[in-house]
Amino acid sequence: MQYAASKNQKKTISALVAGAIAGATAKTLVAPLERSKIYFQVSTHEKYSLRAVLQYIGTTYQDHGFRTLFKGHSAQLLRVIPFSAIQFASHEKYSQWLKVDVEEHTPWRRLLSGALTGLTASFCTYPLDSARAILAVSDPLHKHTLAWVFADAYRNGHLLRLYRGVLPTLLGMAPYGGIAFFTFDSLTLFHKEHTGRQMNNLENFAGGAVAGVTSQAITYPLDIVRRRMQTSRLPHHCGVTEALQLILRKEGFVNGWYKGFSMNLFKSPLTSGISFMTYQTLLANFVRRSE
């Protein structure tokens, strides 16, 4: 009994470390694209297109330098490292507690485990996500930092505002986490049953990519609402449903709800694929060494 508890504890620690490294690696590689996406998401007058994105990246680089493309990335890393660590470790725990696919296939438990995973990681790290969004759209001439965002919120008594937009985030992350982990776990299970082996690195990347783009496609409109709430681009009294209706009425379905989504067709599979692949590789190595 004590041995089993010790083994589970070691696996949890391994999952935390592997998840942290996986998230940091994936997000760093796509940071310029992420900043561009946030800029167009919160803008109510800039028309999104791939050409506009490339122009934005090029102009930002020419006017303010390469490092500016990573503005807010320190906040991103400070958020994504605990987020990814909590996400993957809690998924291991929820799957264990819910006995997902232990004696038989349990797709609903698989989905619930992913949903609880998304809710847990999002709520714990939401203020850091708000700070990153604020930094990403701040004036490039002002060298604002993560500490400045929190200090400014504290001075003005606005710390709770860093949780503005948390509702659409939680509403979005429940299905996002559920669909992402459900898809990846289902692909993993299907692969093992038909090949008799675990997925290799390339297959983990492909499974993660499919999981990422599927979950993003379904929950993207809530991400638009979240970003605009975080950066005060919506009326303060505006709720989630009202925000969705307002954006749809003023900007339309494609240019409003799915503004910037075409970038996600490249960024999301890449981010998710790298994250799942890195996590599975590191976790397997950590567990093997601890045995």
Side-chain angles (χ1 to χ4, degrees), residues 94-263:
Y94 285 132
S95 296
Q96 178 188 338
W97 292 336
L98 294 171
K99 297 182 179 179
V100 176
D101 300 318
V102 173
E103 296 179 353
E104 59 180 353
H105 290 183
T106 55
W108 288 110
R109 292 183 190 180
R110 204 182 309 148
L111 186 64
L112 177 60
S113 174
L116 291 172
T117 295
L119 287 172
T120 301
S122 295
F123 186 80
C124 289
T125 60
Y126 189 80
L128 289 168
D129 188 44
S130 290
R132 180 177 66 90
I134 292 169
L135 287 173
V137 298
S138 64
D139 189 342
L141 296 177
H142 295 146
K143 305 300 182 182
H144 293 154
T145 63
L146 178 66
W148 174 85
V149 174
F150 281 97
D152 183 67
Y154 176 77
R155 280 195 304 268
N156 294 292
H158 295 157
L159 280 174
L160 287 179
R161 287 191 183 179
L162 293 177
Y163 266 97
R164 189 162 191 255
V166 70
L167 180 58
T169 296
L170 296 181
L171 289 175
M173 280 308 298
Y176 179 88
I179 293 166
F181 280 99
F182 173 84
T183 302
F184 184 81
D185 290 346
S186 297
L187 290 172
T188 301
L189 183 62
F190 178 83
H191 180 275
K192 187 174 182 180
E193 288 182 343
H194 285 76
T195 65
R197 63 175 177 82
Q198 298 292 340
M199 295 199 295
N200 59 33
N201 285 343
L202 184 59
E203 290 162 342
N204 279 324
F205 176 84
V210 172
V213 75
T214 302
S215 53
Q216 272 283 320
I218 294 172
T219 62
Y220 192 79
L222 288 169
D223 193 40
I224 292 284
V225 173
R226 172 171 64 106
R227 293 300 184 197
R228 295 195 182 184
M229 282 185 169
Q230 286 175 333
T231 53
S232 300
R233 304 301 171 92
L234 289 169
H236 287 283
H237 65 274
C238 207
V240 177
T241 303
E242 291 175 303
L244 286 170
Q245 292 174 342
L246 180 66
I247 294 169
L248 182 63
R249 186 171 64 251
K250 288 189 173 182
E251 301 171 54
F253 182 79
V254 175
N255 293 323
W257 279 10
Y258 281 87
K259 189 174 188 178
F261 180 69
S262 60
M263 183 188 297

Side-chain angles (χ1 to χ4, degrees), residues 20-39:
I21 296 173
T25 302
K27 286 296 184 181
T28 298
L29 292 175
V30 299
L33 291 175
E34 180 69 15
R35 184 181 177 188
S36 302
K37 185 193 78 170
I38 293 174
Y39 172 79

Side-chain angles (χ1 to χ4, degrees), residues 11-23:
K11 188 173 182 180
T12 300
I13 294 172
S14 296
L16 283 167
V17 176
I21 296 173

